[in-house]
Amino acid sequence: MLQIKNIHKSFGKNQILKGVDVQIEKGDVTVILGPSGSGKTTFLRCINFLERADEGEIKVDNIETSFNKARKKDILAIRKKTAFVFQNYSLFNNKTALGNVTEGLVVGRKIPKAKAIEIGKQALDKVGLSDKYDAYPSQLSGGQQQRVGIARAIAVNPDIILFDEPTSALDPELVGEVLEVMRTLANEGKTMLVVTHEMSFARDVANKVIFMDDGVIVEEGTPDEIFAAPKEVRTQQFLKRILRD
């Protein structure tokens, strides 16, 4: 489904990713944990070419290319197989919830508007926003805005959804509604790669957990392996602090 080999990324002299390898199979729910500055978000953004990695290779289904030499058609093909859910929603403030979901379908995928509206409504229904088609982002709570972001992602029927800390910008009481939508998608077999600090989601929903620090993968395994018996001292330190907090 998705294979990343030896990905490197620097910003100036600051080396963010230092040779990361990840393999994700169809139906996997993989969670990436790690402290701020460990490279998690940069890694996710490089997969979707929102950032251009300096080195490494990516394979998504039958599309295979190097990060630093990928042609425009390769990037577009990979983006058609992936969808990105942003930390801060990234909605168009001048468009309704339905308009935000249909924009990428009509402009990016050239789907006829009537069909795009049908798909968009189905996606919003799926995330519990059937009464908010015509609402603008300013009229929605943070949790509702993020659910629009998730609807936008599932509307394009991607092979894999990339979630970049989807609950980090939410008030605590709104986190649950977003996680519930994500749990539903996981139960339906959606392939998901999730950067998050939500430990309960990682333990209960993921089938693979990756711990990153300082631009490398320190440890990976099942939730039981990582949470109950982490092997690496750095993983133990991180979990002890996070779970205590």
Side-chain angles (χ1 to χ4, degrees), residues 2 44 47 53 64 68 87 95 99 114 117-118 121 125-128 134 148 154 169 175-176 194 213 220:
L2 172 67
L44 218 61
I47 292 173
E64 189 169 4
N68 59 349
Q87 228 176 102
K95 293 187 180 295
I117 289 172
E118 179 187 340
K121 287 181 176 180
D125 292 349
K126 192 175 189 66
V127 300
D134 299 322
V148 173
I154 62 178
V175 169
V194 185
D213 190 28
E220 61 182 294

Side-chain angles (χ1 to χ4, degrees), residues 47-223:
I47 292 173
N48 211 36
F49 287 87
L50 296 170
E51 301 283 357
R52 176 75 79 137
D54 304 319
E55 185 181 337
E57 297 176 349
I58 179 170
K59 183 177 182 181
V60 183
D61 257 356
N62 58 343
I63 305 162
E64 189 169 4
T65 186
S66 61
F67 283 106
N68 59 349
K69 296 180 181 177
R71 296 168 296 177
K72 186 175 181 180
K73 72 172 189 177
D74 296 323
I75 294 171
L76 290 174
I78 287 172
R79 285 180 173 167
K80 283 188 175 181
K81 289 182 172 288
T82 61
F84 204 101
V85 177
F86 296 87
Q87 228 176 102
N88 294 308
Y89 328 136
S90 293
L91 302 181
F92 295 110
N93 290 324
N94 63 336
K95 293 187 180 295
T96 63
L98 183 58
N100 268 282
V101 176
T102 59
E103 180 77 5
L105 297 172
V106 174
V107 176
R109 312 233 171 180
K110 309 303 181 187
I111 292 174
K113 188 171 182 180
K115 181 64 175 176
I117 289 172
E118 179 187 340
I119 294 170
K121 287 181 176 180
Q122 290 173 351
L124 287 167
D125 292 349
K126 192 175 189 66
V127 300
L129 293 176
S130 55
D131 59 338
K132 300 294 183 182
Y133 296 160
D134 299 322
Y136 288 88
S138 62
Q139 299 170 312
L140 300 172
S141 70
Q144 290 169 332
Q145 289 183 62
Q146 190 58 290
R147 283 190 279 155
V148 173
I150 295 173
R152 178 178 57 193
I154 62 178
V156 299
N157 194 28
D159 289 352
I160 181 169
I161 307 177
L162 310 171
F163 291 85
D164 181 20
E165 299 198 31
T167 60
S168 66
L170 300 177
D171 292 334
E173 65 268 23
L174 301 177
V175 169
E177 64 188 64
V178 172
L179 291 179
E180 189 56 39
V181 171
M182 294 171 65
R183 288 173 191 268
T184 299
L185 294 176
N187 290 337
E188 292 175 354
K190 292 288 186 185
T191 308
M192 299 160 62
L193 179 57
V194 185
V195 170
T196 186
H197 288 298
E198 297 295 336
M199 297 296 118
S200 61
F201 182 87
R203 279 186 294 206
D204 300 341
V205 182
N207 66 299
K208 182 190 293 184
V209 176
I210 293 171
F211 174 64
M212 283 185 68
D213 190 28
D214 196 28
V216 299
I217 291 177
V218 176
E219 188 168 356
E220 61 182 294
T222 66

